[in-house]
Amino acid sequence: MNIEVLSYRDSDNIVKVWFRVAAMTMTSLHLGGPMDRSEIEKISKALADETRLRIFEAISATNQMNCGQIVSMRGVTPATVSHHLKILSEAGLIVCHREGQFIYSRAVPQTVAAYAQALAKIARGKKVARSR
């Protein structure tokens, strides 16, 4: 997913932010069979960052969030949101879609469930398949 962030100041000197999705993609981590090692690593790395984890938690706590709502979280700039949404999307943890001028993100619970199963398998001492 490629999110372009556009910002400008209006006549009242208020910063306006627009997000544009150039292409939406979603990995198929949760769609078939157990996760392989590279998928587990990708999700683990995505959730290891404190800001990304906070963004993912916020999105997961709601049905969906638009980018402006995510930006309004303390300490998160539009560029940071764009970067983190891309990584979360590439890991299959969220999907983004456009409704009019807004881009909404929502969590993908199937990916989280498959990830939890894969971690449980590792915890039981079973090997996880290598990358396909």
Side-chain angles (χ1 to χ4, degrees):
M1 179 171 73
N2 185 9
I3 300 176
E4 183 178 348
V5 180
L6 308 166
S7 64
Y8 66 94
R9 292 192 182 275
D10 69 6
S11 59
D12 295 321
N13 206 28
I14 297 172
V15 175
K16 301 284 184 173
V17 179
W18 296 83
F19 296 87
R20 183 179 0 191
V21 175
M24 291 193 289
T25 60
M26 182 179 141
T27 60
S28 59
L29 296 176
H30 62 280
L31 295 179
M35 287 189 169
D36 66 31
R37 184 169 220 80
S38 69
E39 294 168 328
I40 294 167
E41 289 171 358
K42 185 174 256 191
I43 292 172
S44 296
K45 288 176 184 177
L47 296 175
D49 181 87
E50 181 181 343
T51 302
R52 253 191 311 277
L53 180 59
R54 201 165 52 114
I55 290 170
F56 181 69
E57 286 174 329
I59 293 169
S60 297
T62 64
N63 184 33
Q64 61 183 9
M65 280 185 91
N66 69 42
C67 292
Q69 292 169 312
I70 298 168
V71 168
S72 71
M73 295 168 55
R74 183 177 293 170
V76 185
T77 66
T80 300
V81 168
S82 175
H83 169 74
H84 291 308
L85 290 178
K86 177 183 177 199
I87 292 170
L88 290 169
S89 176
E90 288 174 350
L93 291 165
I94 64 167
V95 291
C96 300
H97 68 279
R98 177 181 290 278
E99 288 182 23
Q101 68 180 14
F102 297 103
I103 297 170
Y104 290 91
S105 299
R106 66 177 173 81
V108 180
Q110 298 90 337
T111 300
V112 176
Y115 178 65
Q117 286 179 336
L119 291 179
K121 184 176 181 180
I122 291 170
R124 289 190 304 269
K126 296 186 178 181
K127 295 239 179 204
V128 175
R130 292 272 175 211
S131 300
R132 296 175 195 153

